[in-house]
Amino acid sequence: MYFIVLRYLYIGLTLFSYGVCRTFPAFAKRVLLKKTEESVGSANMKHFTPHYSPWDQRLCFAPDGDFFNAVTSNNVSVVTDHISRINNKGIELKSGSAINTDVIVFATGLNLSFLGKIQVSVDGQPVTPQGKLVYQGHMLSNMPNAFAIQGYINSSWTLKVDLVRVEIVPSVEVQMRMWVRDQGKDTLTRCV
């Protein structure tokens, strides 16, 4: 019962805040920027002051503030610029700066492309995933062992992805155990 009440409270709060942001964008932007400045300090605000209104692109939620704690530490740097190109050392920016990276996380807003426009084939035959039926939000028709996960648009992306993960991991583990058995091996390390 407690879980159900919390779930509907969270859904209601999300819908309310989304509605306020879309109805009163200037007010919502002022409130969000003030709270952000309290968390990251005025020196970092140039990276957290977008030219658009809240929900014109996705918001970054940090309920426990761990994201902001990382940003204000000496271990993280935030750069806001346009990417000119990506090379084997990292990212070249339009401003002429370069960032050497180990990992690149793409977070570009709501311009999504299903499966990143990759060319997909099954048994050597090209497949158009955009024309496939999606079952339970992650399995594509006639594409065995393929999973496509897309999060919620105006809620936590991770929330949806984690719900789907709960279904995918056991399925993959069963398939991996069958493969291990067929290969004559006797153990399999847990995937996740």
Side-chain angles (χ1 to χ4, degrees):
M1 178 68 172
Y2 178 71
F3 172 75
I4 293 171
V5 170
L6 279 179
R7 178 181 169 86
Y8 283 102
L9 181 66
Y10 177 74
I11 290 170
L13 184 60
T14 300
L15 291 173
F16 175 75
S17 65
Y18 179 77
V20 167
C21 288
R22 299 310 285 168
T23 306
F24 307 104
F27 168 75
K29 187 172 185 175
R30 277 194 314 273
V31 170
L32 290 169
L33 289 175
K34 181 175 184 252
K35 296 301 280 178
T36 302
E37 186 171 4
E38 289 171 9
S39 298
V40 299
S42 57
N44 285 312
M45 281 307 291
K46 65 181 178 180
H47 301 297
F48 295 95
T49 308
H51 62 277
Y52 49 85
S53 297
W55 287 115
D56 283 353
Q57 293 190 26
R58 289 178 47 82
L59 291 179
C60 173
F61 287 102
D64 296 329
D66 55 349
F67 171 75
F68 296 120
N69 293 337
V71 167
T72 55
S73 75
N74 292 328
N75 300 329
V76 173
S77 61
V78 177
V79 177
T80 303
D81 200 339
H82 294 273
I83 296 173
S84 174
R85 56 177 265 191
I86 296 174
N87 61 33
N88 60 350
K89 293 181 183 173
I91 301 172
E92 295 177 17
L93 303 172
K94 284 188 178 177
S95 65
S97 301
I99 304 170
N100 293 331
T101 61
D102 294 322
V103 175
I104 299 172
V105 177
F106 291 95
T108 59
L110 295 174
N111 296 324
L112 299 177
S113 173
F114 188 68
L115 294 180
K117 296 183 182 178
I118 62 172
Q119 299 295 319
V120 179
S121 65
V122 174
D123 295 330
Q125 298 299 313
V127 174
T128 307
Q130 295 84 346
K132 297 292 183 183
L133 256 164
V134 178
Y135 177 70
Q136 292 190 345
H138 62 278
M139 293 183 282
L140 304 173
S141 61
N142 299 318
M143 294 184 69
N145 306 325
F147 303 99
I149 304 173
Q150 178 177 327
Y152 294 122
I153 295 299
N154 63 352
S155 189
S156 169
W157 193 271
T158 310
L159 179 65
K160 169 72 179 294
V161 170
D162 196 46
L163 288 172
V164 173
R165 177 201 58 85
V166 168
E167 293 206 16
I168 291 175
V169 170
S171 172
V172 170
E173 283 185 336
V174 166
Q175 293 175 38
M176 291 296 295
R177 288 186 196 291
M178 292 169 58
W179 179 83
V180 165
R181 184 196 62 213
D182 293 347
Q183 297 299 314
K185 307 209 188 266
D186 40 342
T187 59
L188 172 67
T189 304
R190 184 164 165 70
C191 298
V192 173

